[in-house]
Amino acid sequence: ARMVHPATGYMLTRALAAAPPLADALADAIHQGREDVWVSGWEAVWGASRRQERDFYKFGMEVLLDLNLPDTRIFFDRFFSLPDHLWHRFLSQHLRVPEILQFGLTLFARSPNALRFDLFKSGFVHGGLPLVRTLTGL
């Protein structure tokens, strides 16, 4: 379930993309005679950066679920007015941590003040500060 995209619900492409690195990591660990082969597999699929990315996606979905209907409409209007590469890569889970930060800040900057306030408020409720620390390493 951790590979399911929180916004779209799709996981097939993510699971298929994870297969080669997983297979390589497991083969290397077995070849090295390691007893904790599973650790290599876990890190290949869920390394620190992937966990950070997943935390952002999950956080974003929680914030989005808190918005009322008019704010949700404004949010998606702003979301799809972002440069195509940003929202395409977001929906396909191809953004890495620096791009995720760019994505979030750009979306926030392009939102009207009332929506910014709601996003900020909801973000605070859903642990936005710890997420910022996780993503930035501060």
Short mmCIF file of all heavy atoms in Angstrom, two decimals, residues 10-45:
data_model
loop_
_atom_site.label_atom_id
_atom_site.label_comp_id
_atom_site.label_asym_id
_atom_site.label_seq_id
_atom_site.Cartn_x
_atom_site.Cartn_y
_atom_site.Cartn_z
N TYR A 10 -2.90 5.09 -8.05
CA TYR A 10 -2.20 4.17 -8.94
C TYR A 10 -0.89 3.69 -8.31
O TYR A 10 -0.20 4.45 -7.65
CB TYR A 10 -1.89 4.82 -10.29
CG TYR A 10 -3.13 5.15 -11.07
CD1 TYR A 10 -3.52 6.44 -11.27
CD2 TYR A 10 -3.92 4.12 -11.60
CE1 TYR A 10 -4.67 6.74 -11.99
CE2 TYR A 10 -5.06 4.41 -12.31
CZ TYR A 10 -5.43 5.71 -12.51
OH TYR A 10 -6.56 5.99 -13.20
N MET A 11 -0.56 2.43 -8.54
CA MET A 11 0.70 1.93 -8.02
C MET A 11 1.44 1.05 -9.01
O MET A 11 2.60 0.74 -8.80
CB MET A 11 0.49 1.17 -6.72
CG MET A 11 -0.24 -0.15 -6.86
SD MET A 11 -0.27 -1.09 -5.35
CE MET A 11 1.18 -2.10 -5.52
N LEU A 12 0.83 0.64 -10.08
CA LEU A 12 1.44 -0.31 -10.99
C LEU A 12 2.76 0.21 -11.56
O LEU A 12 3.77 -0.49 -11.51
CB LEU A 12 0.48 -0.67 -12.13
CG LEU A 12 0.98 -1.72 -13.10
CD1 LEU A 12 1.29 -3.03 -12.38
CD2 LEU A 12 -0.03 -1.95 -14.20
N THR A 13 2.77 1.42 -12.07
CA THR A 13 4.01 1.94 -12.66
C THR A 13 5.09 2.10 -11.60
O THR A 13 6.26 1.85 -11.87
CB THR A 13 3.79 3.28 -13.37
OG1 THR A 13 3.23 4.22 -12.47
CG2 THR A 13 2.88 3.12 -14.58
N ARG A 14 4.71 2.50 -10.42
CA ARG A 14 5.68 2.67 -9.33
C ARG A 14 6.27 1.31 -8.94
O ARG A 14 7.47 1.18 -8.74
CB ARG A 14 4.99 3.33 -8.13
CG ARG A 14 5.84 3.47 -6.92
CD ARG A 14 6.79 4.66 -7.03
NE ARG A 14 7.48 4.78 -5.79
CZ ARG A 14 8.71 4.30 -5.58
NH1 ARG A 14 9.37 3.77 -6.55
NH2 ARG A 14 9.27 4.43 -4.41
N ALA A 15 5.43 0.31 -8.85
CA ALA A 15 5.90 -1.03 -8.48
C ALA A 15 6.81 -1.59 -9.57
O ALA A 15 7.85 -2.18 -9.27
CB ALA A 15 4.72 -1.96 -8.24
N LEU A 16 6.44 -1.41 -10.82
CA LEU A 16 7.28 -1.91 -11.92
C LEU A 16 8.62 -1.17 -11.97
O LEU A 16 9.65 -1.78 -12.24
CB LEU A 16 6.54 -1.77 -13.25
CG LEU A 16 5.35 -2.71 -13.44
CD1 LEU A 16 4.61 -2.38 -14.73
CD2 LEU A 16 5.79 -4.17 -13.43
N ALA A 17 8.60 0.13 -11.71
CA ALA A 17 9.84 0.90 -11.72
C ALA A 17 10.77 0.48 -10.57
O ALA A 17 12.00 0.58 -10.69
CB ALA A 17 9.54 2.39 -11.61
N ALA A 18 10.20 0.01 -9.47
CA ALA A 18 11.01 -0.39 -8.31
C ALA A 18 11.62 -1.78 -8.48
O ALA A 18 12.57 -2.13 -7.77
CB ALA A 18 10.16 -0.35 -7.04
N ALA A 19 11.11 -2.57 -9.41
CA ALA A 19 11.57 -3.96 -9.55
C ALA A 19 13.05 -4.10 -9.90
O ALA A 19 13.76 -4.86 -9.23
CB ALA A 19 10.69 -4.70 -10.55
N PRO A 20 13.59 -3.41 -10.91
CA PRO A 20 15.01 -3.59 -11.24
C PRO A 20 15.97 -3.20 -10.10
O PRO A 20 16.87 -3.99 -9.77
CB PRO A 20 15.21 -2.73 -12.49
CG PRO A 20 13.86 -2.65 -13.12
CD PRO A 20 12.90 -2.61 -11.95
N PRO A 21 15.80 -2.02 -9.47
CA PRO A 21 16.70 -1.71 -8.36
C PRO A 21 16.57 -2.69 -7.20
O PRO A 21 17.57 -3.02 -6.54
CB PRO A 21 16.32 -0.30 -7.91
CG PRO A 21 15.37 0.23 -8.90
CD PRO A 21 14.92 -0.89 -9.77
N LEU A 22 15.35 -3.16 -6.96
CA LEU A 22 15.14 -4.14 -5.90
C LEU A 22 15.86 -5.44 -6.23
O LEU A 22 16.59 -5.99 -5.38
CB LEU A 22 13.64 -4.40 -5.71
CG LEU A 22 13.26 -5.53 -4.75
CD1 LEU A 22 13.77 -5.23 -3.35
CD2 LEU A 22 11.76 -5.75 -4.77
N ALA A 23 15.70 -5.92 -7.44
CA ALA A 23 16.37 -7.16 -7.85
C ALA A 23 17.88 -7.03 -7.76
O ALA A 23 18.57 -7.94 -7.27
CB ALA A 23 15.94 -7.54 -9.27
N ASP A 24 18.42 -5.89 -8.21
CA ASP A 24 19.87 -5.67 -8.13
C ASP A 24 20.36 -5.66 -6.70
O ASP A 24 21.39 -6.27 -6.37
CB ASP A 24 20.25 -4.34 -8.81
CG ASP A 24 20.08 -4.37 -10.32
OD1 ASP A 24 19.98 -5.48 -10.91
OD2 ASP A 24 20.04 -3.27 -10.92
N ALA A 25 19.63 -4.96 -5.82
CA ALA A 25 20.04 -4.88 -4.41
C ALA A 25 20.00 -6.25 -3.74
O ALA A 25 20.91 -6.60 -2.98
CB ALA A 25 19.14 -3.89 -3.67
N LEU A 26 18.95 -7.01 -4.01
CA LEU A 26 18.85 -8.34 -3.42
C LEU A 26 19.95 -9.27 -3.94
O LEU A 26 20.57 -10.01 -3.17
CB LEU A 26 17.47 -8.95 -3.71
CG LEU A 26 16.28 -8.24 -3.05
CD1 LEU A 26 14.97 -8.87 -3.51
CD2 LEU A 26 16.39 -8.24 -1.54
N ALA A 27 20.21 -9.21 -5.25
CA ALA A 27 21.27 -10.05 -5.83
C ALA A 27 22.63 -9.70 -5.25
O ALA A 27 23.42 -10.60 -4.92
CB ALA A 27 21.28 -9.90 -7.36
N ASP A 28 22.91 -8.40 -5.11
CA ASP A 28 24.18 -7.96 -4.53
C ASP A 28 24.32 -8.46 -3.09
O ASP A 28 25.38 -8.94 -2.69
CB ASP A 28 24.31 -6.44 -4.57
CG ASP A 28 24.55 -5.90 -5.97
OD1 ASP A 28 24.88 -6.69 -6.88
OD2 ASP A 28 24.41 -4.67 -6.15
N ALA A 29 23.26 -8.32 -2.30
CA ALA A 29 23.31 -8.74 -0.90
C ALA A 29 23.50 -10.24 -0.78
O ALA A 29 24.27 -10.71 0.07
CB ALA A 29 22.03 -8.30 -0.18
N ILE A 30 22.83 -11.01 -1.63
CA ILE A 30 22.99 -12.46 -1.62
C ILE A 30 24.40 -12.84 -2.04
O ILE A 30 25.04 -13.69 -1.42
CB ILE A 30 21.93 -13.13 -2.53
CG1 ILE A 30 20.54 -12.97 -1.90
CG2 ILE A 30 22.25 -14.59 -2.77
CD1 ILE A 30 19.38 -13.32 -2.82
N HIS A 31 24.90 -12.16 -3.08
CA HIS A 31 26.25 -12.42 -3.57
C HIS A 31 27.31 -12.12 -2.50
O HIS A 31 28.32 -12.82 -2.41
CB HIS A 31 26.52 -11.59 -4.83
CG HIS A 31 27.88 -11.77 -5.41
ND1 HIS A 31 28.24 -12.94 -6.08
CD2 HIS A 31 28.96 -10.97 -5.43
CE1 HIS A 31 29.50 -12.83 -6.47
NE2 HIS A 31 29.96 -11.64 -6.09
N GLN A 32 27.05 -11.11 -1.69
CA GLN A 32 27.97 -10.73 -0.62
C GLN A 32 27.82 -11.63 0.60
O GLN A 32 28.58 -11.51 1.57
CB GLN A 32 27.75 -9.28 -0.21
CG GLN A 32 28.10 -8.27 -1.29
CD GLN A 32 27.62 -6.86 -0.92
OE1 GLN A 32 27.16 -6.60 0.19
NE2 GLN A 32 27.73 -5.96 -1.87
N GLY A 33 26.82 -12.51 0.60
CA GLY A 33 26.61 -13.41 1.73
C GLY A 33 25.98 -12.75 2.94
O GLY A 33 26.09 -13.26 4.06
N ARG A 34 25.31 -11.64 2.73
CA ARG A 34 24.69 -10.93 3.85
C ARG A 34 23.48 -11.69 4.36
O ARG A 34 22.73 -12.28 3.59
CB ARG A 34 24.29 -9.52 3.42
CG ARG A 34 25.51 -8.65 3.11
CD ARG A 34 25.16 -7.26 2.73
NE ARG A 34 24.19 -6.67 3.62
CZ ARG A 34 23.59 -5.51 3.36
NH1 ARG A 34 23.87 -4.84 2.27
NH2 ARG A 34 22.71 -5.02 4.21
N GLU A 35 23.30 -11.67 5.66
CA GLU A 35 22.14 -12.31 6.25
C GLU A 35 20.92 -11.39 6.27
O GLU A 35 19.79 -11.85 6.33
CB GLU A 35 22.45 -12.78 7.67
CG GLU A 35 23.45 -13.93 7.69
CD GLU A 35 23.67 -14.45 9.09
OE1 GLU A 35 22.77 -14.32 9.94
OE2 GLU A 35 24.76 -15.02 9.33
N ASP A 36 21.18 -10.09 6.22
CA ASP A 36 20.07 -9.12 6.25
C ASP A 36 19.73 -8.65 4.84
O ASP A 36 19.66 -7.46 4.56
CB ASP A 36 20.42 -7.94 7.16
CG ASP A 36 21.65 -7.18 6.68
OD1 ASP A 36 22.38 -7.69 5.80
OD2 ASP A 36 21.88 -6.07 7.18
N VAL A 37 19.47 -9.60 3.97
CA VAL A 37 19.16 -9.30 2.57
C VAL A 37 17.96 -8.35 2.48
O VAL A 37 17.93 -7.45 1.65
CB VAL A 37 18.89 -10.61 1.79
CG1 VAL A 37 18.38 -10.33 0.40
CG2 VAL A 37 20.14 -11.46 1.75
N TRP A 38 17.01 -8.53 3.36
CA TRP A 38 15.81 -7.70 3.33
C TRP A 38 16.12 -6.22 3.51
O TRP A 38 15.45 -5.37 2.95
CB TRP A 38 14.79 -8.16 4.39
CG TRP A 38 15.25 -7.91 5.80
CD1 TRP A 38 16.00 -8.72 6.58
CD2 TRP A 38 14.99 -6.74 6.57
NE1 TRP A 38 16.24 -8.14 7.80
CE2 TRP A 38 15.62 -6.91 7.81
CE3 TRP A 38 14.30 -5.56 6.33
CZ2 TRP A 38 15.56 -5.95 8.82
CZ3 TRP A 38 14.24 -4.61 7.33
CH2 TRP A 38 14.87 -4.81 8.57
N VAL A 39 17.17 -5.90 4.29
CA VAL A 39 17.54 -4.50 4.51
C VAL A 39 17.96 -3.87 3.18
O VAL A 39 17.57 -2.74 2.87
CB VAL A 39 18.67 -4.38 5.56
CG1 VAL A 39 19.19 -2.95 5.65
CG2 VAL A 39 18.19 -4.86 6.91
N SER A 40 18.72 -4.59 2.39
CA SER A 40 19.13 -4.08 1.08
C SER A 40 17.92 -3.84 0.19
O SER A 40 17.85 -2.84 -0.52
CB SER A 40 20.08 -5.06 0.40
OG SER A 40 21.25 -5.20 1.15
N GLY A 41 16.98 -4.78 0.23
CA GLY A 41 15.76 -4.62 -0.56
C GLY A 41 14.95 -3.42 -0.13
O GLY A 41 14.47 -2.64 -0.94
N TRP A 42 14.81 -3.28 1.18
CA TRP A 42 14.04 -2.15 1.72
C TRP A 42 14.67 -0.82 1.32
O TRP A 42 13.98 0.09 0.86
CB TRP A 42 13.95 -2.25 3.24
CG TRP A 42 13.27 -1.07 3.87
CD1 TRP A 42 13.87 0.00 4.44
CD2 TRP A 42 11.86 -0.83 3.95
NE1 TRP A 42 12.93 0.90 4.89
CE2 TRP A 42 11.68 0.41 4.60
CE3 TRP A 42 10.74 -1.55 3.55
CZ2 TRP A 42 10.43 0.94 4.85
CZ3 TRP A 42 9.49 -1.00 3.82
CH2 TRP A 42 9.35 0.22 4.45
N GLU A 43 15.97 -0.71 1.48
CA GLU A 43 16.65 0.54 1.13
C GLU A 43 16.59 0.83 -0.36
O GLU A 43 16.54 1.99 -0.77
CB GLU A 43 18.10 0.52 1.62
CG GLU A 43 18.24 0.74 3.11
CD GLU A 43 17.64 2.06 3.59
OE1 GLU A 43 17.87 3.11 2.94
OE2 GLU A 43 16.95 2.05 4.61
N ALA A 44 16.60 -0.21 -1.18
CA ALA A 44 16.51 0.00 -2.64
C ALA A 44 15.15 0.58 -3.02
O ALA A 44 15.06 1.40 -3.93
CB ALA A 44 16.74 -1.31 -3.38
N VAL A 45 14.11 0.17 -2.31
CA VAL A 45 12.77 0.63 -2.63
C VAL A 45 12.38 1.86 -1.80
O VAL A 45 11.76 2.78 -2.30
CB VAL A 45 11.74 -0.50 -2.42
CG1 VAL A 45 10.32 -0.01 -2.67
CG2 VAL A 45 12.05 -1.67 -3.34
#
